Amino acid sequence: MTINLEILESSYIYDPIQIEELNTKELVPKMVTRRRLTRASKIAIYLASKISSKDERIVYGSSFGELEATSNILHSINDKTMISPTHFQNSVYNTAISYLSMLNNNKSEIITISSGVNTSLKVLQAGAIKALDGDTISLFVIDALNIAKIDELNNCIDFLECGVALKVKVTEEKETFDCENISNNENFPKSLINMLNIAKSINKDKKNIIKIKL
Amino acid sequence: MTIKNKVFITTTSSISCGGNSCDELWDNICTQKSGITIQKDYFHNSIPAIGKINSSNSFYKDLIIQCQNILDKSDLINFDETLLIIGSSVGGMSTTEDLFFKTSSYKDIDTNSHNIDTISIILQQKFNFYDDISFSTACTSSANAIGYAYEVLGKGIYKNALVVGVDSLCQTTVGGFLSLGVLSSAPCKPFDENRDGMNVAEAIACVLLETKSKKNSVEVCGVGYSSDAYHMTMPHLDGAKTAMTNALKLANITPNQINYINAHGTGTKANDTSEANAISETFETITKVSSTKSITGHTLGAAGAIEAIICTQAILNQTIPTSTNLNTIENKEVNFSTSTRKEDINYVLSNSFAFGGNNCSLVFGKVGRN
């Protein structure tokens, strides 16, 4: 079975170490909220502002989840010190998208997928299935891996912070480009690659329609 | 959501501190035999009560055994046409902890053994599923997985789906909940005025969903989702109400048609007050309510699937389970079940709520109901 999706909006951002221009101060005016945000939350909020995601249903994906909070907890246990409650509440995989829902007062269905290197493919598939109901769906995939001593774990990813977002709806129209055969010569996290390739191939002057195979 | 096919839970298999099979789990719930134990050596400087599986096998061996049980008990010959849907909050975290605590370094950690999809990698190697997808929304993970299975089968996209709700105990979750001050050092007392917290637990719960009813099947009639958009850890009753109302709407039934609610009921002050208020504002007292977490503990990402199995047992046995350790009811507007007894049950609702204000309610129905 296949489902065709029209890409209504798209945005992506990445950096080898840490993305600087996330505009968090303007997007999250309350300092008390801003201080609790994880890196992935800040990237999610930035991307949502770029694709005008407000109260749509959201399918979010992350392969590694909240690596920094997880790492902080591991160090606390190892050092026999108290775990920070904030680190623990920020360690769940749906943290980033939950902060976004609070910021936008989005009370809709929001699911989080973590399927390793296939995460963005699964986000596209789940998003397509949900979009069959006729509404517009926001899709996000983010991995933020910039933690201390990440080199002990990482030897293949050149971009430690990456995020991509698409706003999609189902269409009966024919696909305008083949999202399976887009070349990729850079070492982005594989978890984002399907959606990142689509976002990078968007032609703003025409309709962009992709075919999702299930 | 446009659903064109009926969806049924046809086969189940589980292991948890509440029992090493679905039947044992149900018997222990009905006879109030809790699997929660005090663990003096589990976490430094504290004595939490937690729910540990009683098995001589490794956790991952038990995972494979539970899935094999599904093949043995169902009509399926293999999983070649089955979508595997994992619901887990920690994935391979306990493996990561073992490696990290040995050397205080990440060097030996393999991401394929750490991430949430560790579970699907293990199961794909053993069983060769048609495809797989893993959900991780903290304590709603496997409830969302069942909701997704209902959606993809109901929309006619896949032939059948195996939901595996799975979380093993690890120091991250036990220590994390300790840091929030919500762990009890005794078996939990959901909805009791004197409740003092929850019990972290582990479980593997497998639920096979198909579009044709078999012997001893239960229908999945609806799913309701919502987000609180309120706070990372403090629940809001409006989110719970919306999830329950959305599930009823999709099932096309009224609140009074629900005979029993298997509540999220963790035993924490915040959850139980909010959930009881949401239930009393949505349902009349004709609907019986209980939490079964005083027997199973809170199995986190596995909770939705293990409680779907409990709901299936309630419908098949036409029995509403009691509320263990509920001595002084806090919210008297809710009709809590205080004894296990036979009742005519057509519909059951199961609640799951999670960090980030992620909510999922599921409605199950008796096959051939009035």
Coordinates of all heavy atoms in Angstrom, one line a residue, chain A residues 5 59-63 113-128 139-143 163-166 179 189-199 210 212, chain B residues 133:
Chain A
L5 N 1.7 12.1 0.1 CA 1.7 13.2 1.0 C 2.1 14.5 0.3 O 3.2 14.4 -0.3 CB 2.6 13.0 2.3 CG 2.2 11.9 3.3 CD1 3.2 11.7 4.3 CD2 0.8 12.1 3.9
V59 N 3.5 13.8 15.0 CA 4.3 12.5 15.2 C 5.8 13.0 15.3 O 6.3 13.6 14.4 CB 4.1 11.6 13.9 CG1 4.9 10.3 14.1 CG2 2.7 11.3 13.7
Y60 N 6.3 12.6 16.4 CA 7.7 13.1 16.8 C 8.6 11.8 16.8 O 8.2 10.7 17.2 CB 7.7 13.7 18.1 CG 9.1 14.1 18.7 CD1 9.9 15.0 18.1 CD2 9.6 13.4 19.8 CE1 11.2 15.3 18.6 CE2 10.9 13.7 20.3 CZ 11.6 14.6 19.7 OH 12.9 14.9 20.2
G61 N 9.8 12.0 16.4 CA 10.8 10.9 16.4 C 12.1 11.3 16.9 O 12.6 12.4 16.7
S62 N 12.8 10.3 17.6 CA 14.1 10.5 18.1 C 14.7 9.2 18.3 O 14.1 8.3 19.0 CB 14.2 11.4 19.4 OG 15.5 11.5 19.8
S63 N 15.9 8.9 17.8 CA 16.6 7.6 18.0 C 17.2 7.5 19.4 O 17.0 6.5 20.0 CB 17.7 7.4 16.9 OG 18.3 6.2 17.2
I113 N 8.0 8.3 18.4 CA 8.6 7.0 17.8 C 10.1 7.0 18.0 O 10.7 8.0 17.8 CB 8.2 6.9 16.3 CG1 6.6 6.7 16.2 CG2 8.9 5.8 15.6 CD1 6.1 6.9 14.8
S114 N 10.6 5.8 18.3 CA 12.1 5.7 18.4 C 12.4 4.4 17.7 O 12.4 3.3 18.4 CB 12.5 5.8 19.8 OG 13.9 5.7 19.9
S115 N 12.7 4.4 16.5 CA 13.0 3.2 15.7 C 14.4 3.2 15.2 O 14.7 2.8 14.0 CB 12.0 3.0 14.6 OG 10.8 2.5 15.2
G116 N 15.4 3.6 16.0 CA 16.8 3.6 15.6 C 17.0 4.3 14.3 O 16.5 5.4 14.0
V117 N 17.8 3.7 13.4 CA 18.2 4.3 12.1 C 17.0 4.5 11.2 O 17.1 5.3 10.3 CB 19.3 3.5 11.4 CG1 20.6 3.4 12.2 CG2 18.8 2.1 11.1
N118 N 15.9 3.8 11.5 CA 14.7 4.0 10.6 C 13.7 5.0 11.2 O 12.6 5.0 10.8 CB 14.0 2.6 10.5 CG 14.9 1.7 9.7 OD1 15.5 2.1 8.6 ND2 15.0 0.4 10.1
T119 N 14.1 5.7 12.2 CA 13.1 6.6 12.9 C 12.3 7.5 12.0 O 11.1 7.6 12.0 CB 13.8 7.4 14.0 OG1 14.3 6.5 15.0 CG2 12.8 8.3 14.7
S120 N 13.0 8.2 11.1 CA 12.3 9.2 10.3 C 11.4 8.5 9.2 O 10.4 9.0 8.8 CB 13.2 10.2 9.6 OG 14.1 9.6 8.7
L121 N 11.9 7.3 8.8 CA 11.0 6.5 7.9 C 9.7 6.1 8.6 O 8.6 6.3 8.0 CB 11.8 5.3 7.4 CG 11.0 4.3 6.5 CD1 10.6 5.0 5.2 CD2 11.8 3.0 6.3
K122 N 9.8 5.7 9.8 CA 8.6 5.3 10.6 C 7.7 6.5 10.9 O 6.5 6.4 11.0 CB 9.0 4.6 11.9 CG 10.0 3.4 11.7 CD 9.4 2.3 10.9 CE 10.4 1.2 10.7 NZ 9.9 0.1 9.8
V123 N 8.4 7.6 11.2 CA 7.6 8.9 11.4 C 6.8 9.2 10.2 O 5.6 9.6 10.3 CB 8.5 10.0 11.9 CG1 7.8 11.4 11.8 CG2 9.1 9.8 13.3
L124 N 7.4 9.1 9.0 CA 6.7 9.4 7.7 C 5.5 8.4 7.6 O 4.4 8.8 7.2 CB 7.7 9.2 6.6 CG 8.6 10.4 6.3 CD1 9.8 10.0 5.4 CD2 7.9 11.6 5.8
Q125 N 5.8 7.1 7.8 CA 4.7 6.1 7.7 C 3.6 6.3 8.6 O 2.4 6.3 8.2 CB 5.3 4.7 7.9 CG 6.3 4.3 6.7 CD 7.0 2.9 7.0 OE1 7.0 2.5 8.1 NE2 7.5 2.3 5.9
A126 N 3.9 6.5 9.9 CA 2.9 6.8 10.9 C 2.1 8.1 10.6 O 0.9 8.1 10.7 CB 3.4 6.8 12.3
G127 N 2.8 9.1 10.2 CA 2.2 10.4 9.8 C 1.3 10.2 8.6 O 0.2 10.8 8.6
A128 N 1.7 9.4 7.6 CA 0.8 9.2 6.5 C -0.4 8.4 6.9 O -1.5 8.8 6.4 CB 1.6 8.4 5.4
L139 N 5.3 16.6 11.5 CA 6.2 15.5 11.7 C 7.6 16.2 12.1 O 8.0 17.1 11.4 CB 6.4 14.7 10.4 CG 5.2 14.2 9.6 CD1 5.6 13.5 8.4 CD2 4.3 13.4 10.5
F140 N 8.2 15.7 13.2 CA 9.5 16.1 13.6 C 10.4 14.9 13.9 O 9.9 13.9 14.4 CB 9.4 16.9 15.0 CG 8.6 18.2 15.0 CD1 7.2 18.1 15.0 CD2 9.2 19.4 15.0 CE1 6.4 19.3 15.0 CE2 8.5 20.6 15.0 CZ 7.1 20.5 15.0
V141 N 11.6 15.1 13.5 CA 12.7 14.1 14.0 C 13.9 14.9 14.5 O 14.3 15.8 13.7 CB 13.1 13.1 13.0 CG1 14.1 12.2 13.5 CG2 11.9 12.3 12.5
I142 N 14.3 14.7 15.7 CA 15.4 15.4 16.3 C 16.3 14.5 17.0 O 15.9 13.6 17.7 CB 14.9 16.5 17.3 CG1 14.0 17.5 16.5 CG2 16.0 17.2 18.0 CD1 13.2 18.4 17.4
D143 N 17.6 14.6 16.8 CA 18.6 14.0 17.7 C 19.7 15.0 18.1 O 20.2 15.7 17.3 CB 19.2 12.7 17.0 CG 18.5 11.5 17.4 OD1 18.2 11.3 18.6 OD2 18.1 10.7 16.5
G163 N 17.8 18.5 13.3 CA 16.4 18.5 13.4 C 15.7 18.7 12.1 O 16.3 19.5 11.3
V164 N 14.6 18.1 11.9 CA 13.9 18.3 10.6 C 12.4 18.3 11.0 O 12.0 17.5 11.8 CB 14.3 17.3 9.6 CG1 14.1 15.8 10.0 CG2 13.5 17.5 8.3
A165 N 11.6 19.1 10.3 CA 10.2 19.1 10.5 C 9.5 19.3 9.1 O 9.9 20.0 8.3 CB 9.8 20.2 11.4
L166 N 8.4 18.5 9.0 CA 7.5 18.6 7.8 C 6.1 18.8 8.2 O 5.7 18.2 9.2 CB 7.6 17.4 6.9 CG 9.0 16.9 6.5 CD1 8.9 15.6 5.8 CD2 9.6 17.9 5.5
C179 N 11.5 10.2 -3.2 CA 12.3 10.5 -1.9 C 13.2 9.3 -1.5 O 13.9 9.4 -0.6 CB 11.3 10.9 -0.8 SG 10.1 9.6 -0.4
P189 N 23.0 11.9 11.3 CA 22.4 10.7 12.0 C 21.4 10.0 11.1 O 20.6 10.6 10.4 CB 21.7 11.2 13.2 CG 22.3 12.6 13.5 CD 22.7 13.1 12.1
K190 N 21.6 8.7 10.9 CA 20.7 7.9 10.0 C 19.2 8.0 10.4 O 18.3 7.9 9.6 CB 21.1 6.5 9.9 CG 22.4 6.3 9.2 CD 22.7 4.8 8.9 CE 23.8 4.6 7.9 NZ 25.1 4.8 8.5
S191 N 19.0 8.3 11.7 CA 17.6 8.4 12.2 C 16.8 9.5 11.5 O 15.6 9.4 11.5 CB 17.6 8.6 13.7 OG 18.4 9.8 14.0
L192 N 17.5 10.5 11.0 CA 16.8 11.7 10.4 C 16.8 11.6 8.8 O 16.2 12.4 8.2 CB 17.5 13.0 10.7 CG 17.3 13.5 12.1 CD1 18.4 13.0 13.1 CD2 17.3 15.0 12.2
I193 N 17.6 10.7 8.3 CA 18.0 10.8 6.9 C 16.8 10.9 5.9 O 16.8 11.7 5.0 CB 19.1 9.8 6.5 CG1 20.0 10.4 5.5 CG2 18.5 8.5 6.0 CD1 20.9 11.4 6.1
N194 N 15.8 10.0 6.1 CA 14.7 10.0 5.1 C 14.0 11.4 5.1 O 13.7 11.9 4.0 CB 13.7 9.0 5.5 CG 14.3 7.6 5.5 OD1 15.0 7.2 6.4 ND2 14.0 6.8 4.4
M195 N 13.7 12.0 6.3 CA 13.0 13.3 6.3 C 13.9 14.4 5.9 O 13.5 15.4 5.3 CB 12.4 13.5 7.7 CG 10.9 12.9 7.7 SD 10.2 13.0 9.3 CE 10.2 14.7 9.7
L196 N 15.2 14.3 6.3 CA 16.1 15.4 6.0 C 16.3 15.5 4.5 O 16.3 16.6 3.9 CB 17.5 15.1 6.7 CG 18.5 16.2 6.7 CD1 17.9 17.5 7.5 CD2 19.8 15.8 7.4
N197 N 16.4 14.3 3.8 CA 16.6 14.3 2.4 C 15.4 15.0 1.7 O 15.5 15.7 0.7 CB 16.8 12.9 1.9 CG 18.2 12.4 2.1 OD1 19.1 13.2 2.4 ND2 18.4 11.1 2.0
I198 N 14.2 14.7 2.2 CA 13.0 15.3 1.6 C 13.0 16.8 1.8 O 12.8 17.6 0.9 CB 11.7 14.7 2.3 CG1 11.6 13.2 1.9 CG2 10.5 15.5 1.9 CD1 10.6 12.4 2.7
A199 N 13.3 17.2 3.1 CA 13.3 18.6 3.4 C 14.3 19.4 2.5 O 14.1 20.5 2.1 CB 13.6 18.9 4.8
I210 N 5.2 13.4 -2.1 CA 6.0 12.2 -2.0 C 5.1 11.0 -1.8 O 4.0 11.1 -1.4 CB 7.0 12.3 -0.7 CG1 6.2 12.6 0.5 CG2 8.1 13.3 -1.0 CD1 7.0 12.5 1.8
I212 N 4.7 7.5 0.1 CA 5.1 6.7 1.3 C 4.7 5.2 1.1 O 3.5 5.0 0.9 CB 4.5 7.2 2.6 CG1 4.9 8.7 2.8 CG2 5.0 6.4 3.8 CD1 6.3 9.0 2.9
Chain B
I133 N 7.8 -1.0 14.4 CA 7.8 0.4 14.8 C 7.8 0.4 16.4 O 7.2 -0.5 17.0 CB 6.6 1.1 14.2 CG1 6.7 2.6 14.5 CG2 5.3 0.6 14.7 CD1 5.7 3.5 13.7

